[in-house]
């Protein structure tokens, strides 16, 4: 099993995953597309096990392809951190030399509703922005993603309309860890995070 080398213990994603869990082994079961990326359909059905999320298509998407899983609001304290873990499986060509083929985030978004659950067009709807952290591991090329506020691997998201772009999240680099090995290429396979 390959290791996804970008990992930040307190904040990790619940997006594009298989077997996603959060706090006390709670499985994320509410999945939908976001308004910032409907490039591929969501493939979950009522029979998809909680914790699993699937999206994809026969060819590369012509627009952003994003999905979101949601769990009940949880507060991190000095005594209890939020730790999310799971696996991601790339099927097909993998990330190749794409700039940042996988971006993931842990955010809070108020007043959000999941519409059309268990259909290929299940979608989260909200007029509010996101608040939290975004992670932008690279594949090939340079080691750190850039954006409106600089460059880094971990970004703050401050009320942005979307978490999937470092140019629209109104945040700045929070920190970063360079790839190991340098300029590694994300290939098809299963990754732990």
């Amino acid at each position: 099993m390959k290791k996804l080398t970008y990992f930040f213990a307190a904040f990790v994603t619940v997006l594009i995953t298989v077997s996603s869990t959060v706090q006390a082994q709670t499985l994320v079961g509410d999945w939908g597309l976001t308004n910032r990326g409907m490039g591929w359909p969501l493939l979950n059905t009522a029979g998809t096990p909680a914790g699993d999320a699937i999206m994809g298509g026969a060819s590369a998407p012509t627009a952003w392809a994003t999905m979101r899983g949601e769990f009940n609001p949880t507060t991190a304290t000095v005594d209890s951190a939020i730790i999310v873990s799971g696996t991601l499986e790339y099927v097909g060509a993998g990330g190749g030399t794409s700039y940042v083929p996988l971006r993931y985030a842990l955010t809070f978004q108020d007043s959000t509703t999941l519409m059309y659950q268990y259909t290929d067009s299940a979608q989260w709807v909200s007029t509010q922005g996101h608040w939290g952290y975004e992670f932008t591991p690279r594949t090939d090329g340079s080691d750190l993603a850039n954006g409106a506020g600089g460059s880094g691997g971990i970004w703050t998201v401050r009320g942005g309309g979307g978490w999937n772009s470092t140019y629209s999240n109104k945040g700045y680099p929070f920190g970063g860890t360079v790839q190991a090995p340098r300029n590694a290429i994300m290939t098809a396979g299963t990754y732990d995070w």
Side-chain angles (χ1 to χ4, degrees):
M1 209 173 261
K2 300 175 177 95
K3 286 282 187 184
L4 185 61
T5 57
Y6 279 79
F7 181 80
F8 189 66
F11 302 99
V12 188
T13 187
V14 292
L15 300 171
I16 316 176
T17 62
V18 178
S19 302
S20 191
T21 61
V22 62
Q23 197 173 33
Q25 300 299 316
T26 301
L27 297 175
V28 176
D30 293 334
W31 297 95
L33 304 173
T34 75
N35 65 343
R36 308 249 332 159
M38 297 185 199
W40 272 332
L42 188 69
L43 302 177
N44 281 36
T45 67
T48 304
D52 289 3
I54 309 160
M55 73 181 321
S59 59
T62 57
W64 288 94
T66 64
M67 89 166 64
R68 172 180 163 192
E70 182 174 285
F71 50 90
N72 292 330
T74 304
T75 302
T77 67
V78 173
D79 297 321
S80 101
I82 298 171
I83 300 173
V84 182
S85 63
T87 59
L88 169 127
E89 181 178 5
Y90 265 126
V91 177
T97 59
S98 174
Y99 175 64
V100 183
L102 171 67
R103 299 174 189 198
Y104 51 96
L106 180 63
T107 66
F108 173 79
Q109 183 182 35
D110 199 6
S111 304
T112 185
T113 303
L114 179 58
M115 305 291 291
Y116 320 114
Q117 188 172 20
Y118 304 127
T119 68
D120 61 359
S121 56
Q123 177 186 0
W124 291 101
V125 178
S126 177
T127 59
Q128 304 297 313
H130 289 265
W131 299 86
Y133 299 89
E134 173 186 1
F135 306 88
T136 57
R138 293 294 311 274
T139 179
D140 201 16
S142 67
D143 285 325
L144 296 173
N146 60 12
S151 62
I154 305 167
W155 293 70
T156 56
V157 179
R158 299 170 23 149
W163 50 263
N164 55 342
S165 174
T166 55
Y167 283 90
S168 64
N169 67 22
K170 297 183 183 179
Y172 298 94
F174 178 68
T177 304
V178 296
Q179 285 174 271
R182 182 176 170 81
N183 297 332
I185 296 176
M186 190 177 291
T187 60
T190 301
Y191 295 81
D192 292 327
W193 50 263

